[in-house]
């Protein structure tokens, strides 16, 4: 039959025959060469601090043809102010798949005037300068930042750490950043009754901006911290509330040592206890203190205007004491102090006075 080509080889196939069969079958459609365009960045983030802007993003691992990128990629960074075209801000090389950052000091024109949106983009280019397009937009606020915080100080109070700064009439809010300088080793997962680990970095809310101070009630005794402060102006642009942050202040360090005695006990009451055949005694009770590091109480007694004498001996652990060293017909004055685990003792409570009835006068 004419016009029919049959590719059948009987027996062993030689190299020559195999080569002749290369044209057998239906060839596929020719594939265009890859343009090697890196995929677009989709997670660009931007943060402004004072005059400084930092971008962060994740570099793609593949190009638009889903092939792995094998060499560093050229990154173009641009910024667009208030709807203007995107102006070049810089270029860099970045490795595929790497978490990447880029930073700049804001140009003078972007760091003055009224608050407005400033958008950043990154564009990844191949060897021929071509790209698959711009990244997502990452916005900061352009304009004059609030003034830097000055005169930062920190003092330890019993209630916590008081951080102060120079109040100058600024209406911007203040944000405190706290760093723990004395982190503890991680505890075993099955450790019982252990306090939760304290974060290394914390951001604290400030309410008394006009007074130029803040009280950090979460600071723990025995730890050391570093505090920094930053003014933040909140602005609404394009229907969104954005932050215009000022420069971060210099640090101030504070060692939170517990040098404070417990609160003075309150509610002390004394009641004489008598009965047939029973020895005279006076029962004392008071409201318990609630400090976490409380070790106990000390009971003092005096007669008339005499000196106070400790009658409890060792520290009393509960808010009560039974005094059996009294005599019938005498009047006694009592006071109680609280002692913490560091050995700090509070002042004496308000006195309580009680008289032990005469044994012969009891009816």
């Amino acid at each position: 039959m004419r016009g029919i080509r049959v590719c059948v080889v009987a027996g062993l196939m030689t190299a020559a025959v195999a080569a002749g069969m290369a044209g057998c079958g239906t060839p596929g459609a020719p594939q265009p060469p890859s343009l090697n365009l890196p995929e677009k960045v989709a997670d660009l983030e931007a943060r402004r601090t004072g005059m400084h802007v930092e971008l962060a993003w994740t570099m793609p691992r593949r190009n638009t043809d889903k092939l792995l990128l094998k060499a560093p990629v050229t990154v173009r960074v641009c910024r667009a102010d208030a709807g203007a075209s995107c102006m070049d801000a810089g270029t860099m090389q970045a490795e595929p798949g790497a978490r990447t950052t880029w930073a700049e000091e804001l140009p003078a024109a972007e760091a003055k005037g009224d608050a407005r949106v400033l958008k950043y983009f990154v564009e990844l280019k191949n060897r021929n300068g071509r790209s698959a397009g711009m990244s997502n937009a990452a916005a900061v606020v352009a304009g004059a930042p609030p003034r830097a915080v000055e005169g930062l100080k920190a003092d330890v109070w019993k209630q916590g750490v008081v951080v102060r700064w120079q109040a100058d009439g600024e209406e911007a809010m203040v944000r405190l950043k706290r760093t723990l300088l004395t982190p503890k080793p991680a505890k075993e997962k099955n450790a019982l009754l252990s306090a939760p680990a304290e974060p290394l970095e914390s951001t604290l809310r400030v309410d008394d901006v006009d007074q130029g101070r803040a009280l950090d009630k979460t600071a723990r005794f025995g730890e050391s911290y570093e505090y920094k402060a930053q003014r933040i102006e909140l602005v609404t642009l394009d229907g969104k509330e954005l932050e215009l942050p000022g420069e971060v202040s210099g640090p101030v360090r504070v060692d939170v040592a517990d040098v404070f005695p417990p609160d003075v006990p309150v509610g002390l009451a004394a009641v004489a206890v008598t009965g047939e055949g029973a020895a005279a005694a006076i029962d004392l009770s008071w409201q318990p203190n609630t400090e976490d590091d409380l070790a106990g109480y000390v009971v003092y007694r005096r007669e008339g205007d005499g000196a106070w004498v400790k009658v409890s001996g060792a520290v009393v652990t509960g808010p009560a004491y039974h005094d059996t060293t009294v005599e019938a017909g005498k009047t006694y004055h009592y006071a109680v102090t609280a002692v913490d685990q560091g050995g700090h003792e509070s002042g004496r409570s308000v006195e309580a006075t009680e008289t032990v009835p005469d044994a012969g006068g009891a009816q």
Side-chain angles (χ1 to χ4, degrees):
M1 299 173 67
R2 297 176 179 271
I4 299 178
R5 183 181 181 187
V6 180
C7 291
V8 178
V9 180
L12 296 174
M13 181 183 296
T14 65
V17 174
M21 290 184 61
C24 294
T26 302
Q31 297 295 318
S34 173
L35 297 177
N36 198 32
L37 299 178
E39 292 181 338
K40 294 189 296 184
V41 169
D43 64 347
L44 181 65
E45 300 173 349
R47 181 177 61 182
R48 177 181 176 182
T49 303
M51 303 292 289
H52 187 79
V53 173
E54 182 172 308
L55 307 183
W57 69 93
T58 304
M59 290 291 294
R61 297 182 180 273
R62 300 178 182 274
N63 61 23
T64 54
D65 296 314
K66 306 305 178 184
L67 301 176
L68 288 173
L69 297 169
K70 299 180 179 180
V73 177
T74 298
V75 181
R76 170 185 173 247
V77 182
C78 68
R79 71 179 96 80
D81 187 348
S85 59
C86 205
M87 305 295 294
D88 287 338
T91 59
M92 63 178 292
Q93 297 287 311
E95 293 291 335
R99 187 63 180 171
T100 308
T101 60
W102 178 91
E104 72 165 354
E105 294 299 311
L106 272 179
E110 315 296 351
K112 62 183 180 181
D114 295 333
R116 57 200 184 276
V117 175
L118 181 64
K119 294 181 180 179
Y120 282 84
F121 301 84
V122 294
E123 183 181 20
L124 310 185
K125 295 189 175 184
N126 65 8
R127 293 180 179 179
N128 298 321
R130 301 180 63 182
S131 77
M134 295 286 197
S135 69
N136 63 296
V140 297
V141 180
R147 289 194 294 272
V149 172
E150 297 180 349
L152 194 67
K153 298 178 181 179
D155 299 301
V156 181
W157 289 9
K158 186 175 181 179
Q159 297 82 1
V161 175
V162 176
V163 183
R164 303 175 184 273
W165 58 91
Q166 182 178 333
D168 55 6
E170 278 274 1
E171 295 182 358
M173 64 177 282
V174 173
R175 176 179 294 159
L176 287 180
K177 298 182 178 181
R178 188 186 74 187
T179 302
L180 175 65
L181 302 179
T182 51
K184 301 296 188 295
K187 295 186 178 181
E188 297 180 2
K189 294 182 179 179
N190 59 354
L192 299 177
L193 302 178
S194 59
E198 190 171 4
L200 295 180
E201 303 286 340
S202 304
T203 300
L204 307 177
R205 177 179 176 178
V206 176
D207 294 320
D208 295 331
V209 175
D210 295 339
Q211 300 297 322
R213 68 180 182 182
L215 174 61
D216 179 10
K217 296 181 179 179
T218 64
R220 298 180 181 178
F221 286 121
E223 307 290 4
S224 296
Y225 301 94
E226 180 182 86
Y227 291 87
K228 297 179 181 178
Q230 179 186 36
R231 282 195 173 91
I232 307 291
E233 183 179 341
L234 299 178
V235 297
T236 301
L237 299 171
D238 296 339
K240 297 181 180 179
E241 187 175 69
L242 301 175
E243 293 186 354
L244 177 55
E247 296 286 350
V248 177
S249 73
V252 59
R253 174 179 173 140
V254 59
D255 300 319
V256 188
D258 185 2
V259 296
F260 306 98
D263 293 335
V264 176
V266 297
L268 178 63
V271 178
V273 179
T274 59
E276 293 185 7
I282 293 179
D283 279 340
L284 304 174
S285 62
W286 56 92
Q287 295 181 17
N289 285 38
T290 59
E291 287 95 339
D292 293 335
D293 63 342
L294 185 72
Y297 308 89
V298 176
V299 178
Y300 292 87
R301 187 184 74 188
R302 71 176 180 177
E303 297 181 43
D305 295 329
W308 287 104
V309 178
K310 184 188 298 185
V311 294
S312 59
V315 172
V316 177
T317 57
Y321 182 72
H322 184 66
D323 185 9
T324 60
T325 63
V326 297
E327 297 178 15
K330 289 188 176 182
T331 298
Y332 297 93
H333 306 274
Y334 292 91
V336 180
T337 64
V339 180
D340 65 18
Q341 295 175 3
H344 305 110
E345 185 175 3
S346 74
R348 288 190 295 268
S349 69
V350 174
E351 295 181 25
T353 302
E354 180 65 320
T355 301
V356 181
D358 289 324
Q363 299 295 325

